[in-house]
Amino acid sequence: MKKLALALTLIGTMMPPATHADSLDFEAIKAKGENKKDQTLVFKGFYLGMPAADAQALLNHYLKLEQVGSEPAEPPKLTPEQEQAKLMGALLGAALGVREEPKGPFRIFKADGKLLVQRTPDERPFAVAGADGAIIEFEISETVRNKLFDSANMPINEFLQNFINAYDIPSLDASRVELNAQFLGIVEKVGFQNILQHRSPKGFEITYWDDPVILNDENAALVSTKPANTITIFKIETAKQRESKFD
């Protein structure tokens, strides 16, 4: 448990200090989203192409978290000892079924030429922006979804139907993706994940990810999957852009 505590402490030291942030102009950010409804999916004021700083501020507002500065921060480099303690803490936490929920507001971090809206550099981001600061992807976890829509007691089928009704999405089509493990150049199918998906002519793809089904537990650790009950929204080419390739 000491290693787990040390790892959690290290994560805390990676957080940039809170900086001064102007008070949120909620109505102004919402108005930007309203003006985009004929161009893309807009939910709760969030939309693809919005500034990362707006997404950060809006999410902190909805989750009743502190408003902090939006200046992007690069996670500090860890020493080999710190990296080892962090890894051991993560492994120990997984073995014990312990997952420390990140605390504090969402911030903006830099990574691989992108901007990530997340609480800590180690968690999956709520939103990803390109180098220009415009959002190109949302990943709405079950926890965030329940807070945004007060949906903790709503069956997922009911939530998805309400979502597509509210945001004028025709339907979500069922399919599945294979889950593969790759080791030493060998690719092995170890399971699958059912999805519900819609590709819009407006240039976005929305996907609901069901529980992954692992058929081969031996190599399950080598598989990267979307977390169960997650909703992703990606920027893709519009229908006209896709059709132009066939001219």
Side-chain angles (χ1 to χ4, degrees):
M1 293 303 292
K2 289 183 178 179
K3 289 184 177 179
L4 176 58
L6 174 59
L8 296 175
T9 300
L10 289 172
I11 291 172
T13 64
M14 296 170 68
M15 299 294 295
T19 57
H20 173 72
D22 295 331
S23 59
L24 170 69
D25 192 339
F26 176 74
E27 295 302 329
I29 295 179
K30 285 277 287 185
K32 293 180 188 179
E34 288 294 322
N35 292 332
K36 297 290 184 180
K37 283 189 172 180
D38 61 339
Q39 302 172 39
T40 188
L41 171 65
V42 180
F43 64 100
K44 295 286 187 178
F46 297 102
Y47 58 93
L48 292 170
M50 75 185 302
D54 282 359
Q56 173 206 14
L58 197 57
L59 185 61
N60 282 331
H61 170 79
Y62 281 127
L63 272 54
K64 297 180 172 55
L65 300 171
E66 177 189 5
Q67 292 293 341
V68 294
S70 58
E71 186 67 26
E74 293 189 7
K77 300 295 184 181
L78 299 181
T79 66
E81 293 77 13
Q82 290 173 326
E83 288 282 7
Q84 184 179 21
K86 177 179 164 185
L87 177 60
M88 290 299 295
L91 292 174
L92 182 59
L96 297 175
V98 176
R99 183 185 182 278
E100 184 76 5
E101 185 71 22
K103 293 182 172 52
F106 280 79
R107 303 172 187 272
I108 298 179
F109 292 91
K110 291 180 182 179
D112 301 324
K114 296 179 179 179
L115 302 181
L116 311 177
V117 179
Q118 55 193 162
R119 276 177 161 166
T120 75
D122 294 309
E123 74 168 345
R124 299 181 70 94
F126 166 77
V128 178
D132 61 354
I135 298 296
I136 57 175
E137 174 189 349
F138 291 102
E139 182 173 301
I140 310 169
S141 68
E142 183 177 14
T143 298
V144 170
R145 166 171 61 83
N146 287 337
K147 292 179 179 178
L148 285 178
F149 296 94
D150 190 22
S151 59
N153 297 319
M154 189 181 300
I156 187 60
N157 289 341
E158 180 182 340
F159 171 84
L160 291 174
Q161 188 61 56
N162 287 336
F163 190 95
I164 66 176
N165 290 345
Y167 302 120
D168 198 27
I169 297 172
S171 64
L172 294 173
D173 299 323
S175 61
R176 69 173 45 172
V177 295
E178 286 189 358
L179 301 180
N180 296 314
Q182 184 169 347
F183 183 68
L184 298 178
I186 301 174
V187 178
E188 179 185 0
K189 178 181 176 181
V190 298
F192 60 87
Q193 193 165 12
N194 291 323
I195 64 173
L196 296 170
Q197 188 175 79
H198 172 68
R199 289 171 60 84
S200 171
K202 292 182 178 180
F204 68 85
E205 176 183 286
I206 178 170
T207 307
Y208 168 74
W209 300 82
D210 205 346
D211 293 300
V213 177
I214 304 298
L215 304 175
N216 183 347
D217 291 335
E218 183 178 350
N219 294 322
L222 302 176
V223 179
S224 176
T225 68
K226 291 291 184 184
N229 305 315
T230 291
I231 296 172
T232 57
I233 302 170
F234 285 90
K235 181 178 177 60
I236 62 173
E237 292 181 326
T238 65
K240 287 185 178 180
Q241 290 172 324
R242 299 197 297 269
E243 290 168 0
S244 68
K245 299 177 181 180
F246 294 88
D247 290 347

